[in-house]
Amino acid sequence: MTREEIIKGLGAQPHDPFVWFDGPPILEQIPPGTVGVNALKVATAIENRPSRYVHLLPMLRVSLIGLIYDPQLDGGILPLQILAERLGVSRFTVPRNCVVLEEMGLFYKVTKNGRYAVEPDTALVVFHDLFVPLPAKRLRKDD
C-alpha cells in the first residue's frame, strides 16, 4: 500500500500534524508539534478493518490528532464522550471501535471504565517545546 493510499484510507488531511514512518516512529526524527505515525500499522488497519466498522478509521485519525492538540493528563486518547461528539456518533459506537483497534494492536486499555491509549509503536507525539509525554500506564490483566 502506498503512502498516498494510506493517507487517503485514513482520511488524513494536508493540515494534519502527521509524520509517517515505515515502522515504529523514531523519536529523533519527529519534528516538534507533530505526531510520528507507523504507516505499516495504519495500512494493516485499513486493509483488515471489518467492513461494518465504518467509524473505525475516522476515530483513529481523530485520536491521533488529539494526541497533539488535546493531550490528556493520563496519556490516553480523548475521552470516549468527546470522541463520539467529534465524530457525530453514539457514545456506544466509540468503545466498540476501541476494542477492535485494541485487537489490531493500535490501542491498549488504560482503565476498566473505557480509557484507551495509542500503542507507542503506533504513534508518538512531540510537543512544540520538545516535550515527549510518557505513555499511559497500561491496565494489567490482574487489575
Side-chain angles (χ1 to χ4, degrees):
M1 186 173 253
T2 67
R3 187 70 45 88
E4 289 76 26
E5 291 171 327
I6 294 169
I7 292 168
K8 184 178 178 184
L10 184 61
Q13 302 296 316
H15 60 274
D16 287 345
F18 300 146
V19 176
W20 299 94
F21 291 88
D22 293 324
I26 301 166
L27 187 59
E28 296 78 26
Q29 296 178 5
I30 302 172
T34 60
V35 181
V37 181
N38 185 335
L40 298 177
K41 284 187 89 171
V42 173
T44 302
I46 292 168
E47 292 171 345
N48 298 322
R49 177 185 63 85
S51 59
R52 68 180 191 196
Y53 287 92
V54 296
H55 301 291
L56 189 77
L57 298 174
M59 192 179 96
L60 177 59
R61 176 182 169 262
V62 169
S63 297
L64 293 174
I65 291 171
L67 292 175
I68 194 79
Y69 293 131
D70 295 308
Q72 302 299 300
L73 290 177
D74 65 358
I77 62 171
L78 292 168
L80 303 181
Q81 184 63 35
I82 293 173
L83 278 172
E85 289 171 8
R86 290 195 180 169
L87 293 167
V89 299
S90 162
R91 65 183 178 92
F92 300 107
T93 300
V94 175
R96 288 192 299 264
N97 284 277
C98 284
V99 169
V100 173
L101 289 167
E102 182 180 21
E103 291 169 355
M104 293 176 146
L106 294 145
F107 282 8
Y108 63 93
K109 201 165 209 163
V110 176
T111 66
K112 289 183 179 180
N113 65 351
R115 293 282 294 150
Y116 286 86
V118 177
E119 288 283 358
D121 69 340
T122 299
L124 289 175
V125 64
V126 176
F127 292 110
H128 288 286
D129 53 1
L130 297 178
F131 175 74
V132 180
L134 294 173
K137 184 179 176 193
R138 187 180 300 269
L139 182 69
R140 296 185 323 227
K141 301 262 186 224
D142 57 348
D143 283 345

